[in-house]
């Protein structure tokens, strides 16, 4: 398994997903893990992953704005998203491991690590946690400074070209949602795709005991290194929160997440708190509602799933819950405009029964469809569907 991050600690959605899959697949498979790290200090987490993997190899990725990465992205056909992970050392290590041991399958998390896989006859499974080119297209469309917009648009075209290339190269592609599967089939009709959604640690989140205070708390959760969360929290600040305050003057906004930018930190005020916390369960336990006004699709949607599992009502856009099989006023509350999102949130804050009516249904659908045991079992079936056979290496050049 090749991942663009070390799957521990559980900071990002991708880390949560990979860690829980490794944990639930270890008894059926011998797994060798190859991961990229940002700092050498991350190696302290390797012992935790050795519980699930027979071998672990780590390599440092390039920083996105390092001179080396800028030059590689500027003077090659690869986008910056790929050049950060493109490494001769990684390629040589993978080739060496494959020569020494027999492997039945290579599992790549994200298309942009696949350039390190040599031309081999072992089946390749590509897992796309989001369709990257769509995320970056959305980001670029919001940029007003046209020289930067034009420059980044070129990089987005590169992302789309290589992302589609590796969809074709893979023997099977796995997506998180039916919506992403449909997008891929629109691009490449005969693509071999399965859907394996994200999950929740139900043992952990079902045990949360709500500790509500008289202060009404609206929660926003997100890792702010991801574009989707940055644009959502700015939209919340500028368009939605003022309307909520008009309806519920005593309400407080709690913004919880890793890597907040200076702009996000400046949102702090008498009724807005911005912080990182070590245990997200504490945030869900003390909040009346999760507000996720997402403007872009894709991503892992852990904030939605974990809120539902914790018994916290969810207010989101249709893009925020895309692919999760949730219905408005049955499992969550869905609005599109600032006015709709503010009205739904205020109604939950004012009327506890209104929010409570979706909580039981939300927990039920989590247990039926989104617990990690079921998710890992589905991925295990996909693994076992591969026979050890030679595949056409010419697809690398198609």
């Amino acid at each position: 398994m090749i991942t663009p991050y070390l799957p521990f600690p559980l900071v990002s959605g991708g880390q949560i997903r990979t860690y829980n899959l490794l944990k639930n697949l270890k008894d059926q498979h011998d797994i060798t893990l190859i991961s990229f790290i940002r700092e050498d200090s991350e190696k302290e987490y390797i012992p935790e992953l050795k519980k699930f993997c027979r071998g672990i190899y780590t390599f440092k990725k390039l920083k996105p704005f390092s001179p080396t990465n800028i030059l590689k992205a500027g003077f090659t056909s690869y986008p910056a998203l790929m050049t950060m992970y493109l490494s001769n050392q990684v390629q040589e290590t993978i080739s060496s491991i494959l020569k020494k041991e027999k492997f039945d399958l290579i599992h790549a998390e994200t298309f942009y690590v696949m350039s390190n896989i040599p031309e081999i006859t072992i089946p390749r499974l590509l897992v796309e946690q989001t369709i990257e080119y769509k995320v970056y297209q959305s980001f670029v469309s919001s940029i007003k400074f046209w020289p930067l917009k034009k420059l980044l648009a070129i990089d987005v075209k590169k992302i789309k070209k290589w992302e589609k290339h590796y969809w074709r190269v893979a023997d099977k592609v796995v997506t998180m949602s039916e919506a992403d599967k449909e997008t891929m089939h629109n691009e490449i009709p005969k693509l071999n795709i399965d859907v394996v959604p994200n999950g929740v640690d139900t043992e952990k989140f079902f045990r949360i005991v709500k500790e509500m205070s008289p202060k009404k708390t609206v929660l926003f959760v997100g890792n702010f290194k991801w574009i989707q969360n940055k644009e959502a929290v700015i939209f919340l600040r500028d368009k939605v929160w003022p309307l909520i305050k008009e309806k519920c003057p005593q309400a407080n906004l709690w913004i919880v997440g890793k890597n907040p930018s200076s702009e996000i930190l400046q949102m702090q005020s008498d009724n807005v708190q911005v912080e990182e916390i070590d245990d997200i369960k504490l945030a869900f336990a003390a909040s009346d509602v999760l507000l996720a006004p997402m403007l872009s699709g894709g991503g892992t949607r852990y904030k939605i799933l974990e809120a539902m599992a914790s018994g916290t009502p969810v207010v989101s856009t249709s893009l925020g819950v895309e692919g999760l099989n949730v219905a408005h006023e049955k499992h969550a509350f869905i609005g599109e405009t600032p006015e709709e999102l503010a009205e739904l949130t205020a109604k939950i804050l004012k009327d506890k029964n209104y929010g409570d009516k979706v909580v039981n249904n939300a927990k039920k659908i989590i247990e039926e469809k989104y617990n990690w045991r079921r998710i890992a079992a589905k991925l295990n079936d996909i693994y076992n569907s591969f026979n050890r056979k030679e595949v056409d290496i010419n697809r690398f050049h198609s």
Side-chain angles (χ1 to χ4, degrees):
M1 184 183 290
I2 308 171
T3 66
Y5 43 73
L6 198 67
F8 197 83
L10 306 183
V11 174
S12 70
Q15 288 171 308
I16 294 169
R17 176 184 173 87
T18 307
Y19 178 87
N20 280 284
L21 290 174
L22 289 170
K23 179 180 176 181
N24 284 278
L25 291 168
K26 66 179 176 63
D27 294 332
Q28 291 83 35
H29 305 279
D30 290 322
I31 304 169
T32 297
L33 180 68
I34 294 173
S35 293
F36 287 85
I37 58 175
R38 278 70 180 156
E39 305 293 340
D40 287 331
S41 59
E42 293 178 55
K43 293 180 181 179
E44 69 179 274
Y45 303 116
I46 290 176
E48 173 66 23
L49 297 167
K50 283 187 174 178
K51 299 175 186 176
F52 317 131
C53 305
R54 68 173 180 176
I56 299 174
Y57 300 81
T58 60
F59 302 89
K60 278 185 113 171
K61 69 181 276 284
L62 286 175
K63 293 181 178 179
F65 297 109
S66 67
T68 301
N69 196 53
I70 291 171
L71 286 170
K72 286 171 73 173
F75 293 96
T76 70
S77 66
Y78 301 117
L81 184 62
M82 280 181 66
T83 53
M84 288 188 289
Y85 300 94
L86 189 60
S87 165
N88 289 333
Q89 184 186 9
V90 177
Q91 293 169 16
E92 290 167 3
T93 300
I94 293 176
S95 294
S96 176
I97 294 170
L98 294 176
K99 288 176 183 175
K100 292 176 184 176
E101 302 180 57
K102 172 189 171 184
F103 288 86
D104 300 295
L105 177 68
I106 293 181
H107 170 150
E109 285 282 322
T110 72
F111 83 91
Y112 45 87
V113 300
M114 285 193 74
S115 57
N116 294 300
I117 302 173
E119 297 183 5
I120 53 170
T121 58
I122 301 170
R124 289 143 297 188
L125 175 70
L126 168 59
V127 177
E128 287 277 74
Q129 295 182 12
T130 188
I131 299 178
E132 295 290 347
Y133 80 79
K134 290 184 66 180
V135 174
Y136 284 90
Q137 274 180 344
S138 175
F139 171 67
V140 170
S141 68
S142 68
I143 295 174
K144 302 291 190 291
F145 184 56
W146 74 263
L148 178 60
K149 189 185 189 88
K150 192 168 184 179
L151 182 65
L152 292 179
I154 294 171
D155 205 60
V156 171
K157 286 183 179 179
K158 290 183 180 182
I159 293 173
K160 185 174 182 179
K161 169 194 168 183
W162 284 103
E163 191 161 23
K164 289 173 62 178
H165 167 74
Y166 284 113
W167 294 349
R168 293 188 182 96
V169 163
D171 295 278
K172 184 183 285 290
V173 180
V174 164
T175 70
M176 306 297 101
S177 69
E178 290 290 341
D180 282 357
K181 178 180 178 180
E182 183 179 349
T183 296
M184 291 180 177
H185 270 153
N186 288 337
E187 293 281 355
I188 306 173
K190 295 183 179 180
L191 203 61
N192 186 4
I193 310 175
D194 265 313
V195 177
V196 180
N198 285 314
V200 177
D201 186 340
T202 52
E203 292 182 8
K204 180 167 72 173
F205 284 92
F206 278 5
R207 292 177 181 173
I208 290 177
V209 177
K210 303 292 279 186
E211 300 172 357
M212 312 310 300
S213 71
K215 290 184 177 181
K216 297 299 182 179
T217 300
V218 178
L219 177 66
F220 180 94
V221 175
N223 187 330
F224 295 107
K225 74 177 182 178
W226 302 116
I227 294 168
Q228 298 100 315
N229 290 324
K230 289 180 184 177
E231 65 178 2
V233 80
I234 299 302
F235 175 68
L236 169 56
R237 177 195 68 186
D238 294 344
K239 303 294 185 181
V240 185
W241 184 240
L243 299 177
I244 293 174
K245 288 296 290 179
E246 287 179 8
K247 300 174 186 297
C248 301
Q250 303 305 313
N252 295 290
L253 175 61
W254 193 7
I255 299 171
V256 174
K258 301 289 184 181
N259 309 299
S261 65
S262 58
E263 182 181 14
I264 293 169
L265 290 171
Q266 288 170 9
M267 293 171 62
Q268 191 104 2
S269 68
D270 291 342
N271 52 53
V272 178
Q273 184 177 0
V274 181
E275 66 176 322
E276 297 185 35
I277 61 175
D278 293 328
D279 189 351
I280 194 62
K281 298 195 304 298
L282 300 176
F284 288 123
S287 298
D288 295 89
V289 57
L290 175 81
L291 178 54
M294 311 309 292
L295 304 178
S296 303
T300 53
R301 298 182 177 82
Y302 281 108
K303 62 173 72 70
I304 307 293
L305 295 172
E306 290 175 350
M308 290 168 64
S310 73
T312 305
V314 171
V315 175
S316 184
T317 59
S318 57
L319 282 172
V321 298
E322 186 179 48
L324 291 183
N325 296 316
V326 300
H328 176 54
E329 292 193 325
K330 183 176 182 181
H331 310 103
F333 300 94
I334 302 169
E336 304 302 340
T337 66
E339 292 77 15
E340 289 171 348
L341 293 165
E343 178 65 31
L344 290 167
T345 303
K347 198 168 181 180
I348 293 169
L349 296 178
K350 292 177 178 178
D351 182 359
K352 183 177 182 295
N353 293 330
Y354 184 64
D356 284 350
K357 74 179 184 179
V358 307
V359 167
N360 289 335
N361 288 332
K363 282 193 170 184
K364 190 178 296 183
I365 197 173
I366 290 291
E367 177 57 35
E368 290 173 354
K369 296 187 177 182
Y370 297 108
N371 77 69
W372 281 119
R373 297 184 309 277
R374 294 178 187 271
I375 302 302
K378 185 167 186 178
L379 184 59
N380 183 59
D381 288 342
I382 292 173
Y383 282 178
N384 290 331
S385 71
F386 285 95
N387 294 316
R388 184 168 173 79
K389 61 181 181 179
E390 291 195 355
V391 297
D392 181 13
I393 66 173
N394 290 324
R395 279 180 296 167
F396 276 92
H397 309 291
S398 61

